[in-house]
Amino acid sequence: MKKIELLSPAGNPEKLEVAFHYGADAVYLGGQIFTMRAMNSNFNHDELKWAVEYSHNLGKKVYVTVNTIPFSNELPALEEYVKFLNTIKVDGVIVSDLGVFQMVRENTNLNISISTQASNTNWKSVKLWHDMGAKRIVLARELSLDDIKIIKDNVPTVEIETFIHGAMCMSISGRCLLSNYLTARDANRGACAHPCRWKYYLMEEKRPGEFFPVFEDDNGAYIFDSKDICTIEVFDELLNAGVDSLKIEGRMKGINYVASVTKAYREALDSFESGNYNYDSKWLDELQTVSHRHYIPGFLKGKPDSQSHNYFDASYKQTHKMVGKVEAIEAGLYKIAVRNQIKVGDEVEAVTPHPGINKFILGKMLDFETKAEISVANPNSTVLIASSIPLQVLDLLRVKSENETRGGER
Ligand code: SF4
């Protein structure tokens, strides 16, 4: 059986470490040039070098997005950049523009993936890219299982990458400038602020401050308000369609998202590759723990219908809250970087790379600096705790906390 790659987002070095800890085979990430600004969800040159070394030492892969749509005056710097990526031996670059594609071919021997932004929806276009030298195509999200199978059947030597989880667009794979105009964050450079999901009002210019609601029914308007893609319930069907790489969306999401989504799909993929696939509803439970919108299987089961949009609200939901990350193990205690408040007596879930979730009641907690016993730890502090569950560095801890937020966790 061929090995299928689980590909997680890595918005920064910490997310990269977490992705591999929870079972990703590869990560995709962006450098700091060819973005509209140097956002913290990108890697500088030193971090890129580190990322490649760290990943290769683990036997894992790194793909770098260069899916900008450059102007002619950007080409010299782009040429330098792709040469740099070649020098540090990244495992591939993800491009969408023909000029960038040609530049990578002329100046490097890097593997080339064609970005989902190129909107490949049929085997003819996939074959043309492949004939021109593309090793892999990241298919458009707007394809059904049958569409994917037809492409793989007609171009069997191309590697097919598909999105398995994350945000959906109401436009075809990011062909949208809403985020650029409203927030100066470029959807085509991995930085969409998702303004399509915001709530809008109408204001007449002579009546400043008088906001007229825009609605389609009593709940408001939802023409742009798509649900998130989640393929866990059709996972075996997707794998049987012939895909080679499974891409998790969300470079800007938090480490708990990277951890839980990678963990759930890792367990499902391991089950499939064991030859004895057995759907486990715990995988979906795990995916419910992180901030998300209602889930649908994207276009895999057919084109979106009236159930594919959010009708009632624009909020994100999650069942749990991450409270900390294990940073070290010292004298039988675990050093925890605290992310959300945690208290002695809390029922804590240990999210480990092993199947399932173990719980323990937090008993002993010490301030890391003073070593004094404390009962409450606040975000951005460091503590030492005892745990009845064996933990490893990079394991995350969380507590149950039904939560809804507008705009989602970032
Ligand atoms: S604003 Fe919405 S439709 Fe536009 S690129 Fe972002 S997620 Fe997609």
Side-chain angles (χ1 to χ4, degrees):
M1 184 185 273
K2 76 175 178 190
K3 185 95 180 86
I4 299 171
E5 178 184 85
L6 183 59
L7 178 58
S8 292
N12 62 30
E14 182 186 35
K15 293 176 194 173
L16 180 145
E17 290 178 331
V18 167
F20 289 140
H21 182 63
Y22 285 95
D25 298 307
V27 293
Y28 64 99
L29 49 85
Q32 279 192 340
I33 58 172
F34 304 107
T35 58
M36 289 180 80
R37 64 178 79 154
M39 300 183 65
N40 63 4
S41 56
N42 291 301
F43 287 63
N44 64 31
H45 275 33
D46 287 342
E47 289 170 334
L48 282 170
K49 276 191 218 160
W50 169 86
V52 173
E53 279 169 25
Y54 182 90
S55 307
H56 289 179
N57 282 340
L58 294 173
K60 313 264 184 172
K61 291 184 176 172
V62 179
Y63 301 95
V64 177
T65 56
V66 193
N67 52 355
T68 177
I69 301 169
F71 294 90
S72 297
N73 64 359
E74 293 181 284
L75 294 181
L78 189 59
E79 184 177 324
E80 284 310 305
Y81 183 51
V82 297
K83 285 179 177 169
F84 164 74
L85 295 177
N86 194 44
T87 308
I88 64 171
K89 295 188 169 47
V90 302
D91 295 282
V93 288
I94 305 166
V95 312
S96 59
D97 176 77
L98 263 172
V100 179
F101 178 78
Q102 181 69 338
M103 180 169 281
V104 174
R105 288 201 319 169
E106 286 173 350
N107 292 282
T108 79
N109 51 19
L110 290 167
N111 293 321
I112 305 176
S113 300
I114 303 303
S115 165
T116 195
Q117 265 85 6
S119 302
N120 277 288
T121 55
N122 64 73
W123 69 265
K124 275 281 188 190
S125 63
V126 168
K127 185 166 186 313
L128 180 59
W129 278 116
H130 191 41
D131 289 345
M132 290 194 299
K135 185 168 188 219
R136 175 181 292 191
I137 309 294
V138 189
L139 293 179
R141 268 171 267 211
E142 294 76 23
L143 296 182
S144 69
L145 290 166
D146 287 342
D147 294 329
I148 295 170
K149 191 160 182 330
I150 289 168
I151 289 171
K152 189 65 181 180
D153 287 347
N154 280 280
V155 199
T157 52
V158 77
E159 290 182 8
I160 295 293
E161 183 175 308
T162 51
F163 280 91
I164 57 168
H165 196 90
M168 291 277 285
C169 268
M170 48 67 66
S171 62
I172 290 205
S173 289
R175 292 189 170 220
C176 162
L177 293 175
L178 207 54
S179 184
N180 302 54
Y181 280 117
L182 293 180
T183 70
R185 284 169 49 176
D186 190 341
N188 281 301
R189 300 184 185 200
C192 181
H194 304 301
C196 57
R197 293 141 190 214
W198 298 350
K199 189 165 186 172
Y200 292 91
Y201 293 90
L202 186 68
M203 192 189 79
E204 195 274 325
E205 68 170 346
K206 300 269 169 40
R207 294 172 175 78
E210 279 187 49
F211 299 109
F212 298 93
V214 180
F215 55 85
E216 292 169 78
D217 67 13
D218 290 348
N219 295 311
Y222 28 75
I223 47 173
F224 295 154
D225 201 5
S226 74
K227 295 180 179 176
D228 282 354
I229 182 171
C230 170
T231 60
I232 200 73
E233 290 179 297
V234 294
F235 198 58
D236 54 337
E237 292 178 74
L238 177 60
L239 300 187
N240 284 323
V243 297
D244 300 277
S245 179
L246 306 166
K247 184 172 214 159
I248 297 166
E249 186 274 345
R251 271 194 284 159
M252 296 170 70
K253 300 254 176 99
I255 56 171
N256 61 323
Y257 170 92
V258 175
S260 289
V261 179
T262 303
K263 174 181 167 70
Y265 285 100
R266 175 80 266 161
E267 290 178 20
L269 184 53
D270 287 347
S271 175
F272 183 84
E273 291 186 330
S274 74
N276 188 22
Y277 183 75
N278 224 337
Y279 174 74
D280 188 337
S281 61
K282 288 201 179 70
W283 301 331
L284 183 56
D285 293 343
E286 185 64 34
L287 297 170
Q288 306 281 10
T289 64
V290 295
S291 177
H292 67 283
R293 299 151 69 72
H294 294 288
Y295 287 139
I296 54 168
F299 284 58
L300 292 183
K301 288 298 211 176
K303 301 227 182 304
D305 58 17
S306 59
Q307 296 310 308
S308 305
H309 282 64
N310 284 313
Y311 289 91
F312 301 108
D313 54 49
S315 64
Y316 290 69
K317 303 173 194 327
Q318 61 191 102
T319 59
H320 289 69
K321 179 174 69 172
M322 181 183 63
V323 290
K325 183 181 82 169
V326 179
E327 293 211 314
I329 303 167
E330 296 184 2
L333 295 174
Y334 297 100
K335 179 183 176 189
I336 307 295
V338 178
R339 300 295 170 93
N340 282 296
Q341 190 182 77
I342 183 171
K343 301 187 291 299
V344 168
D346 280 347
E347 183 178 66
V348 177
E349 296 189 1
V351 188
T352 73
H354 312 298
I357 296 292
N358 290 306
K359 299 175 185 175
F360 64 96
I361 301 295
L362 183 60
K364 183 172 172 184
M365 182 159 65
L366 309 179
D367 179 88
F368 180 72
E369 295 299 331
T370 65
K371 304 292 186 283
E373 278 210 37
I374 54 175
S375 56
V376 179
N378 287 316
N380 302 319
S381 62
T382 306
V383 297
L384 290 167
I385 66 164
S387 164
S388 54
I389 310 286
L391 301 173
Q392 290 173 264
V393 172
L394 292 175
D395 282 355
L396 301 189
L397 304 177
R398 69 186 179 206
V399 296
K400 208 156 174 29
S401 163
E402 297 285 345
N403 191 20
E404 283 194 13
T405 51
R406 257 200 68 81
E409 178 189 52
R410 283 282 166 264

